[in-house]
Amino acid sequence: MGNLQIICVLLFSLFLAKCYSREDFLRCLFKSSESNVTQNIYTPNSLTYSSILKYAQKHSRWVNSSQPNFIASPTKESEIKPVILCAKKLGLQIKIKSGGHDYEGISYRSEFPFVMLDLSNLNKTEIDLNEETIWVQAGATLGQLYYAIANQSNVHGFPGGICFSVGTGGLISGGGLGTMMRKFGLAADNVVDARVMDVNGNILDRKKMKNDLFWAIRGGGGASFGVILAWKLKLVRVPEKVTVFTVCKKFDDNQNLILKWENIAHQLPDKLVIRVVIQNDGTGNDKYVEMRFQALYLGPVDELIPLLKEKFPEFDLEKKDCLQAPVGDRSNRSCINKECRETSWIGSVLYFYERETTSSLEVLLKESIPKQKSYYKGTSDFVKTQISESGWEMVERLLLEEESPRIILEPLGGKLDEISESEIPFPHRKGNLYNIQYLVYWHDNNENVSSQKIAWMRKLYKEMEPYVANSPRTAYLNYRDLDFGSNDDDYSYSKAKIWGEKYFNCNFERLAKVKSKVDPNNFFRTEQSIPLYQTY
């Protein structure tokens, strides 16, 4: 399909959307479904519309930025088909929300009339310990997934992300970095089957998927190709005892330590991941930059301590540090010199989300809306060569300029090095030392404050350019950043390559070819959806 045809399709869709009425959409749903789908369709006049939208908009920065014309909250997979067919018929966009954490809020906002497809009610899990797999519906959070596993086994886990209120639909379709990726790969590397609803309302599993669709949805962003309904995941074997620890150091006194970490973190035994969180501490003239080395070792403390004494004696971690009872609430505690726990795998999940390892598993199921609003801007890089000392001095200087910045470094290597960069769309494999996530937070979202914070982030990102991967400069899809570019009205392939190759490198072209086959009229589209493939 050429540019002119695409523009004509989009203009016609926009014309239809302007002409429809709410009654048209509801009438279409009623005629297109055997059951009363409309009971789970909400308009701005519905009593529960606001509460559903508020829960969906987990990133406060985008609250009230735009409102869906309809919210569809299906309780059964079959209720999704009429939503797709009627949205197509009336020229409405569909935005698909599983967890609602996406950095740019594109799953619940749009400049065009749209339906927000809220999958949070599709959250069932079905575990098979004999097969060592679990089916999880796309609306389930990571917490619900982890809870289901931990309730059935203390020797199984899953290599997903840290924040357990994230939706599995979005996290896995974007790749899924996590604390066990060096041992087991990404979340998407451990998908063995899936259920997807295509643009015609057909439900496809792996056997029925054609045209590399199964390849595309595991790291290529599922919402570009259809509606991810469920994943079948391979469970991994974990020890009954694992060890977690945090060691805190002042940046200006320990710059050699971060240089050492850069050199060896990706080469450590794959049972050990040591990530680094770099941020401000203190206030006024006492403000300084600190580094928190946070680690998971898939084994008992007796195995970990000799390894650390060999690789990182600077941590000064002893066995006794790991056997002391926890003190206070981790979520409200300032960074202490060091702490350590020997725990279960599920205890490590709680630890990395700033909960005690002994907390009730019910914490994993909480679905609360944060009482205090926090706004943020995020972006990312991958690093292939060690950052120079002068580079880190620049980072320290810029962090001290800002009130609430954070940089998170996550080492790669291990299993990730063994998987081809074209095995799934996520290409950031061998040759990458670590991933960087940049974040800046603020508590007042007025235009002056937010503009200042975003300008600072863009300055940091620009200053980092000489030190990170280039040609192309790469990024992680799940830390989506519209600063890289977004689709214009014509959804041009050549323009989309500018940002698409940052996320997918050489896999972008293949993704566009899959898109052209499974969704030739570009119905599933967003600001950074995969465009149709075009040759010139």
Side-chain angles (χ1 to χ4, degrees), residues 457-477:
M457 174 61 77
R458 290 170 177 163
K459 177 182 177 182
L460 173 62
Y461 185 76
K462 182 178 180 180
E463 293 288 332
M464 287 297 296
E465 186 171 5
Y467 307 105
V468 298
N470 55 68
S471 299
R473 186 172 180 178
T474 49
Y476 177 39
L477 179 64

Side-chain angles (χ1 to χ4, degrees), residues 6-195:
I6 295 172
I7 293 171
C8 288
V9 169
L10 295 175
L11 288 175
F12 183 63
S13 296
L14 185 58
F15 170 76
L16 286 175
K18 287 183 176 179
C19 292
Y20 88 97
S21 67
R22 286 178 186 163
E23 290 71 24
D24 291 333
F25 185 65
L26 296 175
R27 191 179 302 114
C28 178
L29 290 175
F30 188 79
K31 290 180 178 179
S32 303
S33 59
E34 297 178 0
S35 58
N36 185 13
V37 174
T38 56
Q39 65 184 346
N40 295 318
I41 303 295
Y42 305 91
T43 72
N45 293 330
S46 304
L47 292 176
T48 54
Y49 175 93
S50 295
S51 60
I52 295 172
L53 184 59
K54 189 175 182 180
Y55 177 70
Q57 295 172 327
K58 289 192 170 68
H59 187 174
S60 301
R61 181 177 161 203
W62 304 117
V63 170
N64 298 324
S65 57
S66 69
Q67 287 196 331
N69 299 71
F70 301 91
I71 298 175
S73 298
T75 56
K76 296 182 292 187
E77 291 179 352
S78 60
E79 295 177 4
I80 299 175
K81 180 176 180 177
V83 174
I84 292 175
L85 298 181
C86 291
K88 277 203 303 180
K89 182 177 180 179
L90 295 172
L92 292 164
Q93 282 192 3
I94 282 187
K95 295 297 189 86
I96 305 166
K97 186 207 77 79
S98 60
H101 278 258
D102 70 87
Y103 282 17
E104 299 287 4
I106 62 176
S107 61
Y108 48 80
R109 67 187 185 100
S110 176
E111 295 180 5
F112 302 97
F114 74 106
V115 181
M116 186 183 83
L117 182 56
D118 170 23
L119 300 179
S120 60
N121 291 324
L122 298 177
N123 58 14
K124 294 182 176 59
T125 58
E126 185 177 339
I127 194 167
D128 186 336
L129 289 182
N130 291 324
E131 192 181 54
E132 295 187 300
T133 60
I134 185 169
W135 273 103
V136 56
Q137 287 187 300
T141 63
L142 281 180
Q144 290 169 322
L145 169 62
Y146 295 156
Y147 181 89
I149 297 170
N151 261 341
Q152 294 291 318
S153 172
N154 62 354
V155 293
H156 288 91
F158 184 73
I162 287 174
C163 181
F164 47 68
S165 57
V166 167
T168 56
L171 178 119
I172 297 172
S173 69
L177 302 174
T179 58
M180 295 200 293
M181 63 183 172
R182 301 192 66 249
K183 178 67 176 176
F184 301 111
L186 307 175
D189 292 327
N190 291 274
V191 174
V192 295
D193 203 347
R195 289 168 57 81

Side-chain angles (χ1 to χ4, degrees), residues 11 27 37 48 112 137 144 173 217 221 223 228 242-243 266 333 338 350 372 435 445 463 479 535:
L11 288 175
R27 191 179 302 114
V37 174
T48 54
F112 302 97
Q137 287 187 300
Q144 290 169 322
S173 69
I217 61 174
I228 307 296
V242 305
T243 310
H266 66 290
R333 194 185 313 160
K338 57 183 176 179
L350 294 165
Q372 184 177 6
N435 167 250
N445 203 35
E463 293 288 332
Y479 304 150
T535 55

Side-chain angles (χ1 to χ4, degrees), residues 286-485:
D286 296 326
K287 188 162 66 172
Y288 60 90
V289 174
E290 66 178 22
M291 299 180 290
R292 299 188 188 204
F293 294 86
Q294 300 177 333
L296 167 65
Y297 179 71
L298 294 172
V301 64
D302 285 336
E303 291 179 8
L304 171 64
I305 296 301
L307 178 60
L308 288 182
K309 287 187 179 298
E310 175 190 354
K311 302 294 185 181
F312 282 100
E314 300 90 341
F315 290 166
D316 191 30
L317 204 64
E318 303 287 346
K319 180 177 179 179
K320 63 181 181 181
D321 298 319
C322 305
L323 303 178
Q324 296 173 353
V327 179
D329 179 1
R330 294 192 68 247
S331 63
N332 295 321
R333 194 185 313 160
S334 298
C335 189
I336 60 175
N337 182 39
K338 57 183 176 179
E339 67 176 6
C340 181
R341 308 278 188 273
E342 189 177 71
T343 184
S344 60
W345 165 73
I346 199 64
S348 76
V349 169
L350 294 165
Y351 181 87
F352 275 94
Y353 202 49
E354 298 186 336
R355 303 295 189 273
E356 283 299 345
T357 58
T358 54
S359 297
S360 167
L361 295 189
E362 306 302 316
V363 171
L364 297 166
L365 303 179
K366 285 188 176 180
E367 299 182 354
S368 59
I369 300 171
K371 293 180 180 178
Q372 184 177 6
K373 289 184 179 180
S374 179
Y375 311 94
Y376 63 91
K377 168 71 176 175
T379 191
S380 63
D381 268 313
F382 286 87
V383 177
K384 293 191 173 185
T385 58
Q386 185 183 33
I387 295 175
S388 65
E389 190 172 338
S390 61
W392 284 116
E393 288 172 353
M394 175 274 294
V395 169
E396 181 182 25
R397 173 175 52 81
L398 288 183
L399 290 180
L400 288 172
E401 289 180 6
E402 188 47 59
E403 183 180 352
S404 299
R406 180 177 296 176
I407 296 177
I408 302 172
L409 317 178
E410 296 173 302
L412 305 178
K415 182 71 173 179
L416 294 174
D417 282 356
E418 300 171 14
I419 300 173
S420 164
E421 66 178 28
S422 60
E423 180 70 20
I424 64 173
F426 179 95
H428 317 290
R429 306 285 186 169
K430 191 171 183 178
N432 290 281
L433 305 183
Y434 58 93
N435 167 250
I436 306 180
Q437 179 182 188
Y438 310 94
L439 293 160
V440 62
Y441 298 87
W442 61 96
H443 296 291
D444 183 347
N445 203 35
N446 73 58
E447 187 173 346
N448 288 337
V449 173
S450 60
S451 296
Q452 174 192 336
K453 303 296 181 180
I454 292 169
W456 178 88
M457 174 61 77
R458 290 170 177 163
K459 177 182 177 182
L460 173 62
Y461 185 76
K462 182 178 180 180
E463 293 288 332
M464 287 297 296
E465 186 171 5
Y467 307 105
V468 298
N470 55 68
S471 299
R473 186 172 180 178
T474 49
Y476 177 39
L477 179 64
N478 281 350
Y479 304 150
R480 194 184 295 274
D481 186 355
L482 292 182
D483 281 1
F484 299 158

